[in-house]
Amino acid sequence: MKYKVGVIAGDGIGPEVVAEAKKVLNRIGEVFGHEFCYEEILMGGCSIDATGVPLTEEAIAAAKVSDAVLMGSIGGDAKTSPWYQLPPELRPEAGLLKLRKSLKLFANLRPAYLYKELKSACPLREDIANAGFDMMIMRELTGGLYFGERKTEELDGVMTAVDTLVYNENEIYRIAKRGFDIAMKRKKKVTSVDKANVLDSSRLWRKVVEKVAKDYPEVACEHMLVDNCAMQLVRNPAQFDVILTENMFGDILSDEASMITGSIGMLPSASLNDTKFGLYEPSGGSAPDIAGKGIANPIATILSAAMMLRYSFDLDKEAEVVEAAVKKVLTDGYRTEDIAPQIVCSNNGIEIVGTAKMGDLVCENIR
Ligand code: IPM
Ligand code: MN
């Protein structure tokens, strides 16, 4: 089969990590007889530099005609980059939000898994790391605080800012349904995370999730307040299977979950709508501090490409082969700096490698 992949390399480490994911896709193509053709799409700071805006209509159109989009990361250093002198709607992040909204990518899947090889990179207590964890954070991606009305104005001489958190029952229903569907293919447990002791939007969220849960009698459904969830993630992450939550809570909890896997450089993500189309990107940012150094961890992006194979192309076997190759490389002792143990000596079997070498090693293990 031939697949048309839109590629948003973006800013910072984006182009470096995307190059490795493309290498891996090409290797899969060779071994399994698929053809991936790529179309570069501008978004983020590089689009601002080239066109004046973070995402053009042409870029949206190019994404729409792709079978799926592979993305690196966007944005720069908020203190030093000229992009952040622009009004918020013209900054790099606005491009990503517009793309998510235009393509109706309401379901964001962020799997957080602790490889046993990375236990020493996990900042949790040894007994907790030893128990391991394997969870899927399902984050609603096109509603809530990110897309509600906002304004900043002077009221009675006092600067005042407002953001609004809006969800309707249909938006909650479709993400909840997706969460339960995914739970059915996993350990059949959904933890719906909200702040129902304070927020109306959370009370509606809980009600709709309860209703959806009735259609999935095999799935255990529990509700957890977001502050408690943040605590449980570091106390006992093994308890989670699917974490189902709204946009902002999901943003925060997925960063927390990524760190306990060893590094944010390990966490892939898929943003899906109700077609086969998806946008696949590492959960981490553009890391401007290490951009261009060839040391960024490409694993999250490579695993995002594996998610593309699975969710957009139904190539489950190929996705598993990529995931197994990543695991093999870790078992063989190769690490990028972010996941390396603190002490690397010649006899602990660990070798620190750069971005490109890590991509090559994954390819070598795809046969
Ligand atoms: C993410 C990022 C984005 C978000 C930013 C870049 C707008 O942090 O994908 O988690 O907040 O959704
Ligand atoms: Mn985030």
Side-chain angles (χ1 to χ4, degrees):
M1 269 286 274
K2 191 168 170 171
Y3 301 96
K4 193 167 170 190
V5 180
V7 177
I8 299 176
D11 310 315
I13 58 169
E16 297 164 57
V17 291
V18 158
E20 301 315 306
K22 279 167 74 177
K23 241 188 224 172
V24 169
L25 282 176
N26 291 339
R27 177 78 188 140
I28 284 288
E30 263 167 49
V31 172
F32 289 86
H34 307 299
E35 193 184 336
F36 300 100
C37 51
Y38 305 100
E39 166 142 354
E40 301 291 331
I41 300 172
L42 278 181
M43 187 172 89
C46 56
S47 173
I48 297 174
D49 292 344
T51 71
V53 292
L55 183 72
T56 62
E57 291 304 320
E58 298 83 82
I60 297 174
K64 274 188 180 157
V65 299
S66 308
D67 296 319
V69 172
L70 177 67
M71 189 190 135
S73 53
I74 50 134
D77 185 336
K79 282 202 199 90
T80 56
S81 162
W83 302 326
Y84 295 92
Q85 303 302 315
L86 296 165
E89 62 282 7
L90 287 178
R91 292 180 197 163
E93 289 75 8
L96 178 58
L97 298 184
K98 188 172 173 192
L99 187 69
R100 287 174 180 169
K101 195 72 173 176
S102 311
L103 300 175
K104 302 189 173 63
L105 304 171
F106 66 87
N108 184 223
L109 281 59
R110 296 186 167 181
Y113 172 78
L114 182 61
Y115 290 87
K116 70 175 190 325
E117 291 80 0
L118 295 187
K119 267 180 199 160
S120 66
C122 170
L124 300 180
R125 215 173 53 208
E126 204 178 336
D127 57 318
I128 303 175
N130 279 335
F133 57 83
D134 179 359
M135 70 184 94
M136 176 70 88
I137 299 185
M138 292 281 307
R139 168 186 175 195
E140 200 291 329
L141 203 60
T142 51
L145 277 171
Y146 277 68
F147 294 95
E149 262 174 60
R150 64 179 106 257
K151 65 179 171 197
T152 305
E153 62 189 348
E154 204 175 305
L155 288 179
D156 299 328
V158 183
M159 286 307 288
T160 308
V162 192
D163 294 279
T164 27
L165 201 179
V166 185
Y167 272 107
N168 69 42
E169 53 183 341
N170 300 332
E171 292 171 307
I172 302 169
Y173 180 84
R174 63 182 181 182
I175 186 73
K177 195 164 176 327
R178 197 56 82 83
F180 280 85
D181 283 340
I182 294 210
M184 282 298 286
K185 296 189 191 155
R186 297 174 46 98
K187 289 171 282 172
K188 299 199 170 87
K189 179 177 178 191
V190 169
T191 304
S192 174
V193 174
D194 62 36
K195 188 68 185 171
N197 54 347
V198 178
L199 303 176
D200 257 29
S201 55
S202 284
R203 287 187 274 266
L204 180 62
W205 181 278
R206 214 174 254 221
K207 217 162 144 183
V208 176
V209 171
E210 282 290 323
K211 200 151 78 188
V212 174
K214 290 209 170 72
D215 297 333
Y216 294 84
E218 283 175 60
V219 177
C221 174
E222 64 175 12
H223 302 277
M224 192 179 275
L225 297 174
V226 63
D227 47 351
N228 184 26
C229 182
M231 184 266 276
Q232 295 296 338
L233 271 174
V234 291
R235 195 186 75 92
N236 174 18
Q239 70 185 286
F240 295 111
D241 178 20
V242 172
I243 291 182
L244 170 66
T245 193
E246 63 91 52
N247 205 344
M248 178 63 100
F249 297 160
D251 180 44
I252 298 167
L253 295 176
S254 62
D255 264 38
E256 187 186 1
S258 77
M259 195 52 224
I260 58 172
T261 67
S263 161
I264 194 159
M266 293 300 296
L267 202 74
S269 95
S271 304
L272 309 174
N273 58 23
D274 49 23
T275 71
K276 278 280 161 196
F277 179 88
L279 169 71
Y280 299 86
E281 53 169 316
S283 299
S286 60
D289 52 326
I290 58 163
K293 295 190 179 158
I295 59 170
N297 185 349
I299 291 180
T301 318
I302 291 170
L303 293 174
S304 301
M307 291 183 89
M308 170 188 288
L309 296 170
R310 176 173 294 120
Y311 292 106
S312 282
F313 305 153
D314 287 321
L315 300 174
D316 287 35
K317 171 87 188 117
E318 288 81 341
E320 280 161 25
V321 166
V322 174
E323 288 158 356
V326 167
K327 188 166 168 53
K328 180 71 170 60
V329 170
L330 295 174
T331 309
D332 290 345
Y334 297 103
R335 304 280 188 275
T336 43
E337 267 175 28
D338 57 317
I339 50 173
Q342 251 155 14
I343 301 160
V344 178
C345 52
S346 53
N347 57 7
N348 65 1
I350 297 292
E351 185 180 331
I352 295 189
V353 298
T355 312
K357 174 79 181 176
M358 185 56 99
D360 291 341
L361 288 163
V362 174
C363 289
E364 281 167 27
N365 284 287
I366 295 174
R367 290 185 214 107

Short mmCIF file of all heavy atoms in Angstrom, two decimals, residues 124-174:
data_model
loop_
_atom_site.label_atom_id
_atom_site.label_comp_id
_atom_site.label_asym_id
_atom_site.label_seq_id
_atom_site.Cartn_x
_atom_site.Cartn_y
_atom_site.Cartn_z
N LEU A 124 10.68 7.72 40.68
CA LEU A 124 9.89 7.24 41.83
C LEU A 124 10.70 6.29 42.71
O LEU A 124 11.71 5.73 42.28
CB LEU A 124 8.63 6.53 41.33
CG LEU A 124 7.67 7.38 40.50
CD1 LEU A 124 6.47 6.56 40.07
CD2 LEU A 124 7.22 8.61 41.27
N ARG A 125 10.21 6.08 43.94
CA ARG A 125 10.85 5.15 44.88
C ARG A 125 10.98 3.77 44.25
O ARG A 125 10.14 3.37 43.44
CB ARG A 125 10.00 5.08 46.14
CG ARG A 125 10.78 4.93 47.42
CD ARG A 125 9.84 5.05 48.60
NE ARG A 125 8.72 4.12 48.47
CZ ARG A 125 7.52 4.33 49.00
NH1 ARG A 125 7.26 5.42 49.67
NH2 ARG A 125 6.55 3.44 48.85
N GLU A 126 12.00 3.05 44.61
CA GLU A 126 12.33 1.79 43.93
C GLU A 126 11.17 0.79 43.91
O GLU A 126 10.89 0.16 42.88
CB GLU A 126 13.55 1.17 44.61
CG GLU A 126 14.30 0.22 43.68
CD GLU A 126 15.54 -0.36 44.35
OE1 GLU A 126 16.07 0.26 45.29
OE2 GLU A 126 15.94 -1.46 43.92
N ASP A 127 10.48 0.64 45.04
CA ASP A 127 9.40 -0.35 45.08
C ASP A 127 8.26 0.05 44.13
O ASP A 127 7.60 -0.80 43.53
CB ASP A 127 8.87 -0.55 46.51
CG ASP A 127 8.38 0.74 47.14
OD1 ASP A 127 9.05 1.79 46.97
OD2 ASP A 127 7.32 0.73 47.78
N ILE A 128 8.05 1.34 43.96
CA ILE A 128 6.98 1.81 43.06
C ILE A 128 7.41 1.59 41.60
O ILE A 128 6.63 1.10 40.78
CB ILE A 128 6.67 3.31 43.32
CG1 ILE A 128 6.29 3.53 44.79
CG2 ILE A 128 5.55 3.79 42.39
CD1 ILE A 128 6.09 4.97 45.19
N ALA A 129 8.66 1.91 41.31
CA ALA A 129 9.17 1.68 39.95
C ALA A 129 9.17 0.19 39.62
O ALA A 129 8.82 -0.22 38.51
CB ALA A 129 10.57 2.26 39.80
N ASN A 130 9.51 -0.63 40.61
CA ASN A 130 9.52 -2.08 40.37
C ASN A 130 8.16 -2.63 40.00
O ASN A 130 8.05 -3.58 39.23
CB ASN A 130 10.04 -2.82 41.61
CG ASN A 130 11.56 -2.79 41.66
OD1 ASN A 130 12.22 -2.64 40.61
ND2 ASN A 130 12.13 -2.89 42.85
N ALA A 131 7.11 -2.01 40.54
CA ALA A 131 5.75 -2.48 40.22
C ALA A 131 5.40 -2.15 38.77
O ALA A 131 4.51 -2.77 38.18
CB ALA A 131 4.75 -1.84 41.18
N GLY A 132 6.08 -1.18 38.17
CA GLY A 132 5.83 -0.82 36.77
C GLY A 132 4.48 -0.17 36.59
O GLY A 132 3.69 -0.04 37.54
N PHE A 133 4.19 0.28 35.37
CA PHE A 133 2.86 0.79 35.05
C PHE A 133 2.69 0.84 33.54
O PHE A 133 3.67 0.84 32.79
CB PHE A 133 2.62 2.18 35.67
CG PHE A 133 3.63 3.22 35.28
CD1 PHE A 133 3.53 3.92 34.09
CD2 PHE A 133 4.71 3.48 36.11
CE1 PHE A 133 4.48 4.87 33.72
CE2 PHE A 133 5.68 4.43 35.75
CZ PHE A 133 5.55 5.13 34.55
N ASP A 134 1.45 0.85 33.13
CA ASP A 134 1.10 0.84 31.71
C ASP A 134 -0.27 1.49 31.60
O ASP A 134 -1.28 0.84 31.87
CB ASP A 134 1.07 -0.61 31.21
CG ASP A 134 0.69 -0.70 29.74
OD1 ASP A 134 0.44 0.35 29.10
OD2 ASP A 134 0.64 -1.84 29.22
N MET A 135 -0.29 2.76 31.30
CA MET A 135 -1.58 3.47 31.27
C MET A 135 -1.74 4.23 29.96
O MET A 135 -0.77 4.48 29.24
CB MET A 135 -1.67 4.44 32.45
CG MET A 135 -0.74 5.63 32.35
SD MET A 135 -0.80 6.67 33.81
CE MET A 135 0.55 6.01 34.78
N MET A 136 -2.97 4.54 29.66
CA MET A 136 -3.28 5.35 28.48
C MET A 136 -4.03 6.58 28.94
O MET A 136 -5.13 6.47 29.50
CB MET A 136 -4.15 4.54 27.51
CG MET A 136 -4.62 5.31 26.30
SD MET A 136 -3.27 5.66 25.15
CE MET A 136 -3.32 4.19 24.14
N ILE A 137 -3.42 7.74 28.75
CA ILE A 137 -4.14 8.97 29.09
C ILE A 137 -4.94 9.40 27.87
O ILE A 137 -4.39 9.57 26.78
CB ILE A 137 -3.15 10.07 29.54
CG1 ILE A 137 -2.41 9.56 30.78
CG2 ILE A 137 -3.90 11.39 29.81
CD1 ILE A 137 -1.49 10.56 31.41
N MET A 138 -6.25 9.49 28.05
CA MET A 138 -7.15 9.93 26.99
C MET A 138 -7.55 11.35 27.31
O MET A 138 -8.33 11.59 28.22
CB MET A 138 -8.43 9.09 26.99
CG MET A 138 -8.26 7.66 26.61
SD MET A 138 -8.13 7.48 24.83
CE MET A 138 -9.56 8.31 24.24
N ARG A 139 -7.00 12.28 26.54
CA ARG A 139 -7.23 13.69 26.83
C ARG A 139 -8.17 14.28 25.78
O ARG A 139 -7.91 14.16 24.59
CB ARG A 139 -5.87 14.40 26.80
CG ARG A 139 -5.94 15.91 26.78
CD ARG A 139 -4.54 16.50 26.59
NE ARG A 139 -4.62 17.95 26.45
CZ ARG A 139 -3.64 18.72 25.99
NH1 ARG A 139 -2.49 18.18 25.63
NH2 ARG A 139 -3.80 20.02 25.88
N GLU A 140 -9.24 14.93 26.23
CA GLU A 140 -10.11 15.65 25.30
C GLU A 140 -9.28 16.81 24.74
O GLU A 140 -8.56 17.47 25.48
CB GLU A 140 -11.36 16.16 26.03
CG GLU A 140 -12.55 16.47 25.13
CD GLU A 140 -12.35 17.69 24.25
OE1 GLU A 140 -11.64 18.63 24.68
OE2 GLU A 140 -12.89 17.72 23.13
N LEU A 141 -9.36 17.05 23.45
CA LEU A 141 -8.37 17.97 22.86
C LEU A 141 -8.94 19.19 22.13
O LEU A 141 -8.18 20.05 21.70
CB LEU A 141 -7.48 17.16 21.89
CG LEU A 141 -6.09 17.73 21.59
CD1 LEU A 141 -5.24 17.87 22.82
CD2 LEU A 141 -5.36 16.86 20.56
N THR A 142 -10.24 19.27 21.97
CA THR A 142 -10.74 20.43 21.20
C THR A 142 -11.77 21.26 21.98
O THR A 142 -12.54 22.01 21.40
CB THR A 142 -11.37 19.97 19.87
OG1 THR A 142 -12.33 18.94 20.14
CG2 THR A 142 -10.33 19.48 18.90
N GLY A 143 -11.81 21.08 23.31
CA GLY A 143 -12.76 21.86 24.09
C GLY A 143 -12.11 22.43 25.34
O GLY A 143 -10.89 22.52 25.44
N GLY A 144 -12.95 22.80 26.29
CA GLY A 144 -12.47 23.27 27.58
C GLY A 144 -11.78 24.62 27.51
O GLY A 144 -12.00 25.41 26.60
N LEU A 145 -10.91 24.84 28.48
CA LEU A 145 -10.26 26.14 28.63
C LEU A 145 -9.48 26.57 27.39
O LEU A 145 -9.30 27.76 27.13
CB LEU A 145 -9.27 26.08 29.80
CG LEU A 145 -9.86 26.30 31.19
CD1 LEU A 145 -8.80 25.99 32.24
CD2 LEU A 145 -10.37 27.73 31.35
N TYR A 146 -8.97 25.59 26.63
CA TYR A 146 -8.16 25.92 25.47
C TYR A 146 -8.95 26.66 24.40
O TYR A 146 -8.37 27.41 23.60
CB TYR A 146 -7.59 24.64 24.84
CG TYR A 146 -6.34 24.14 25.51
CD1 TYR A 146 -6.38 23.64 26.80
CD2 TYR A 146 -5.12 24.15 24.83
CE1 TYR A 146 -5.25 23.16 27.41
CE2 TYR A 146 -3.97 23.67 25.44
CZ TYR A 146 -4.04 23.17 26.72
OH TYR A 146 -2.91 22.71 27.32
N PHE A 147 -10.25 26.39 24.33
CA PHE A 147 -11.02 26.95 23.22
C PHE A 147 -12.19 27.82 23.68
O PHE A 147 -12.95 28.30 22.85
CB PHE A 147 -11.50 25.82 22.30
CG PHE A 147 -10.36 25.12 21.60
CD1 PHE A 147 -9.81 23.96 22.13
CD2 PHE A 147 -9.79 25.66 20.45
CE1 PHE A 147 -8.72 23.34 21.51
CE2 PHE A 147 -8.71 25.05 19.83
CZ PHE A 147 -8.18 23.88 20.36
N GLY A 148 -12.32 28.05 24.98
CA GLY A 148 -13.37 28.95 25.46
C GLY A 148 -13.00 30.40 25.19
O GLY A 148 -11.85 30.72 24.89
N GLU A 149 -13.99 31.28 25.33
CA GLU A 149 -13.71 32.71 25.13
C GLU A 149 -12.71 33.19 26.16
O GLU A 149 -12.73 32.75 27.31
CB GLU A 149 -15.01 33.49 25.33
CG GLU A 149 -15.71 33.82 24.03
CD GLU A 149 -17.04 34.48 24.31
OE1 GLU A 149 -17.06 35.54 24.96
OE2 GLU A 149 -18.05 33.88 23.89
N ARG A 150 -11.86 34.11 25.72
CA ARG A 150 -10.94 34.71 26.69
C ARG A 150 -10.73 36.18 26.38
O ARG A 150 -10.86 36.61 25.24
CB ARG A 150 -9.62 33.94 26.75
CG ARG A 150 -8.78 33.94 25.48
CD ARG A 150 -7.47 33.17 25.69
NE ARG A 150 -7.50 31.88 25.01
CZ ARG A 150 -7.68 30.72 25.61
NH1 ARG A 150 -7.86 30.65 26.91
NH2 ARG A 150 -7.71 29.61 24.91
N LYS A 151 -10.45 36.94 27.40
CA LYS A 151 -10.13 38.35 27.17
C LYS A 151 -9.38 38.92 28.36
O LYS A 151 -9.44 38.38 29.47
CB LYS A 151 -11.41 39.15 26.90
CG LYS A 151 -12.36 39.20 28.06
CD LYS A 151 -13.59 40.03 27.73
CE LYS A 151 -14.59 39.84 28.87
NZ LYS A 151 -15.94 40.23 28.56
N THR A 152 -8.68 40.00 28.08
CA THR A 152 -7.99 40.73 29.15
C THR A 152 -8.43 42.18 29.03
O THR A 152 -8.37 42.75 27.94
CB THR A 152 -6.46 40.63 28.96
OG1 THR A 152 -6.11 39.26 28.88
CG2 THR A 152 -5.71 41.27 30.12
N GLU A 153 -8.93 42.74 30.10
CA GLU A 153 -9.38 44.13 30.02
C GLU A 153 -9.19 44.81 31.36
O GLU A 153 -8.95 44.17 32.38
CB GLU A 153 -10.85 44.19 29.59
CG GLU A 153 -11.78 43.51 30.57
CD GLU A 153 -13.21 43.36 30.04
OE1 GLU A 153 -13.56 43.97 29.03
OE2 GLU A 153 -13.98 42.63 30.70
N GLU A 154 -9.32 46.14 31.31
CA GLU A 154 -9.20 46.90 32.54
C GLU A 154 -10.60 47.15 33.08
O GLU A 154 -11.45 47.71 32.38
CB GLU A 154 -8.47 48.22 32.26
CG GLU A 154 -7.81 48.78 33.47
CD GLU A 154 -7.00 50.04 33.15
OE1 GLU A 154 -6.13 49.95 32.25
OE2 GLU A 154 -7.27 51.06 33.77
N LEU A 155 -10.86 46.68 34.29
CA LEU A 155 -12.17 46.90 34.92
C LEU A 155 -11.95 47.75 36.16
O LEU A 155 -11.22 47.33 37.07
CB LEU A 155 -12.82 45.56 35.31
CG LEU A 155 -13.37 44.66 34.20
CD1 LEU A 155 -13.94 43.38 34.81
CD2 LEU A 155 -14.42 45.36 33.35
N ASP A 156 -12.57 48.90 36.20
CA ASP A 156 -12.38 49.84 37.32
C ASP A 156 -10.90 50.04 37.65
O ASP A 156 -10.50 50.00 38.81
CB ASP A 156 -13.12 49.34 38.58
CG ASP A 156 -14.62 49.22 38.35
OD1 ASP A 156 -15.16 50.03 37.55
OD2 ASP A 156 -15.24 48.31 38.93
N GLY A 157 -10.11 50.20 36.59
CA GLY A 157 -8.70 50.48 36.79
C GLY A 157 -7.87 49.27 37.17
O GLY A 157 -6.69 49.38 37.49
N VAL A 158 -8.47 48.07 37.14
CA VAL A 158 -7.72 46.85 37.51
C VAL A 158 -7.66 45.92 36.30
O VAL A 158 -8.70 45.57 35.74
CB VAL A 158 -8.40 46.11 38.69
CG1 VAL A 158 -7.58 44.90 39.11
CG2 VAL A 158 -8.62 47.06 39.86
N MET A 159 -6.48 45.53 35.92
CA MET A 159 -6.35 44.60 34.79
C MET A 159 -6.97 43.26 35.19
O MET A 159 -6.67 42.71 36.25
CB MET A 159 -4.88 44.38 34.42
CG MET A 159 -4.25 45.54 33.71
SD MET A 159 -5.17 46.07 32.24
CE MET A 159 -4.81 44.72 31.14
N THR A 160 -7.84 42.74 34.32
CA THR A 160 -8.59 41.53 34.64
C THR A 160 -8.60 40.61 33.44
O THR A 160 -8.83 41.07 32.31
CB THR A 160 -10.05 41.90 35.01
OG1 THR A 160 -10.02 42.92 36.02
CG2 THR A 160 -10.82 40.70 35.51
N ALA A 161 -8.32 39.34 33.66
CA ALA A 161 -8.30 38.38 32.56
C ALA A 161 -9.31 37.27 32.82
O ALA A 161 -9.49 36.85 33.96
CB ALA A 161 -6.91 37.78 32.42
N VAL A 162 -9.97 36.82 31.76
CA VAL A 162 -10.98 35.76 31.88
C VAL A 162 -10.69 34.66 30.86
O VAL A 162 -10.43 34.95 29.69
CB VAL A 162 -12.40 36.27 31.52
CG1 VAL A 162 -13.46 35.25 31.92
CG2 VAL A 162 -12.68 37.62 32.11
N ASP A 163 -10.76 33.41 31.29
CA ASP A 163 -10.77 32.26 30.38
C ASP A 163 -12.01 31.46 30.72
O ASP A 163 -12.35 31.34 31.89
CB ASP A 163 -9.52 31.39 30.60
CG ASP A 163 -8.24 32.12 30.22
OD1 ASP A 163 -7.93 32.16 29.03
OD2 ASP A 163 -7.57 32.64 31.13
N THR A 164 -12.64 30.88 29.71
CA THR A 164 -13.87 30.13 30.02
C THR A 164 -13.72 28.65 29.70
O THR A 164 -13.14 28.28 28.68
CB THR A 164 -15.08 30.70 29.26
OG1 THR A 164 -14.62 31.31 28.06
CG2 THR A 164 -15.82 31.72 30.07
N LEU A 165 -14.27 27.85 30.59
CA LEU A 165 -14.19 26.39 30.44
C LEU A 165 -15.58 25.88 30.07
O LEU A 165 -16.46 25.85 30.92
CB LEU A 165 -13.74 25.80 31.79
CG LEU A 165 -13.12 24.41 31.84
CD1 LEU A 165 -12.74 24.02 33.25
CD2 LEU A 165 -13.91 23.35 31.17
N VAL A 166 -15.75 25.54 28.81
CA VAL A 166 -17.06 25.09 28.34
C VAL A 166 -16.96 23.67 27.81
O VAL A 166 -16.04 23.34 27.06
CB VAL A 166 -17.57 25.99 27.17
CG1 VAL A 166 -18.99 25.59 26.77
CG2 VAL A 166 -17.51 27.45 27.53
N TYR A 167 -17.90 22.82 28.22
CA TYR A 167 -18.08 21.51 27.59
C TYR A 167 -19.57 21.25 27.40
O TYR A 167 -20.35 21.50 28.31
CB TYR A 167 -17.50 20.37 28.45
CG TYR A 167 -16.05 20.12 28.16
CD1 TYR A 167 -15.07 20.50 29.06
CD2 TYR A 167 -15.67 19.52 26.96
CE1 TYR A 167 -13.72 20.29 28.77
CE2 TYR A 167 -14.33 19.31 26.67
CZ TYR A 167 -13.37 19.69 27.57
OH TYR A 167 -12.05 19.48 27.27
N ASN A 168 -19.95 20.75 26.24
CA ASN A 168 -21.33 20.28 26.12
C ASN A 168 -21.34 18.75 26.20
O ASN A 168 -20.30 18.10 26.07
CB ASN A 168 -22.02 20.83 24.87
CG ASN A 168 -21.47 20.26 23.57
OD1 ASN A 168 -21.21 19.06 23.47
ND2 ASN A 168 -21.31 21.12 22.58
N GLU A 169 -22.53 18.19 26.40
CA GLU A 169 -22.60 16.75 26.66
C GLU A 169 -22.14 15.92 25.46
O GLU A 169 -21.60 14.83 25.63
CB GLU A 169 -24.00 16.35 27.11
CG GLU A 169 -25.10 16.79 26.17
CD GLU A 169 -26.49 16.44 26.71
OE1 GLU A 169 -26.60 15.56 27.58
OE2 GLU A 169 -27.46 17.04 26.24
N ASN A 170 -22.30 16.46 24.25
CA ASN A 170 -21.86 15.69 23.07
C ASN A 170 -20.33 15.57 23.03
O ASN A 170 -19.79 14.52 22.68
CB ASN A 170 -22.35 16.36 21.78
CG ASN A 170 -23.86 16.44 21.74
OD1 ASN A 170 -24.53 15.61 22.35
ND2 ASN A 170 -24.39 17.45 21.06
N GLU A 171 -19.67 16.66 23.37
CA GLU A 171 -18.20 16.63 23.39
C GLU A 171 -17.70 15.63 24.44
O GLU A 171 -16.71 14.92 24.22
CB GLU A 171 -17.64 18.01 23.73
CG GLU A 171 -17.86 19.07 22.66
CD GLU A 171 -17.48 20.46 23.16
OE1 GLU A 171 -17.97 20.89 24.22
OE2 GLU A 171 -16.69 21.13 22.48
N ILE A 172 -18.37 15.59 25.57
CA ILE A 172 -17.95 14.66 26.62
C ILE A 172 -18.27 13.22 26.20
O ILE A 172 -17.45 12.31 26.36
CB ILE A 172 -18.65 14.99 27.97
CG1 ILE A 172 -18.34 16.44 28.37
CG2 ILE A 172 -18.22 14.01 29.06
CD1 ILE A 172 -19.18 16.97 29.52
N TYR A 173 -19.43 13.05 25.60
CA TYR A 173 -19.87 11.72 25.20
C TYR A 173 -18.88 11.07 24.23
O TYR A 173 -18.47 9.92 24.41
CB TYR A 173 -21.26 11.81 24.55
CG TYR A 173 -21.79 10.47 24.09
CD1 TYR A 173 -22.44 9.62 24.98
CD2 TYR A 173 -21.59 10.04 22.78
CE1 TYR A 173 -22.90 8.38 24.57
CE2 TYR A 173 -22.05 8.80 22.36
CZ TYR A 173 -22.70 7.98 23.26
OH TYR A 173 -23.13 6.74 22.85
N ARG A 174 -18.46 11.82 23.21
CA ARG A 174 -17.62 11.17 22.18
C ARG A 174 -16.23 10.80 22.71
O ARG A 174 -15.70 9.75 22.35
CB ARG A 174 -17.53 12.03 20.92
CG ARG A 174 -16.86 13.36 21.12
CD ARG A 174 -16.85 14.18 19.84
NE ARG A 174 -16.17 15.44 20.12
CZ ARG A 174 -16.00 16.40 19.25
NH1 ARG A 174 -16.46 16.29 18.03
NH2 ARG A 174 -15.35 17.49 19.59
#
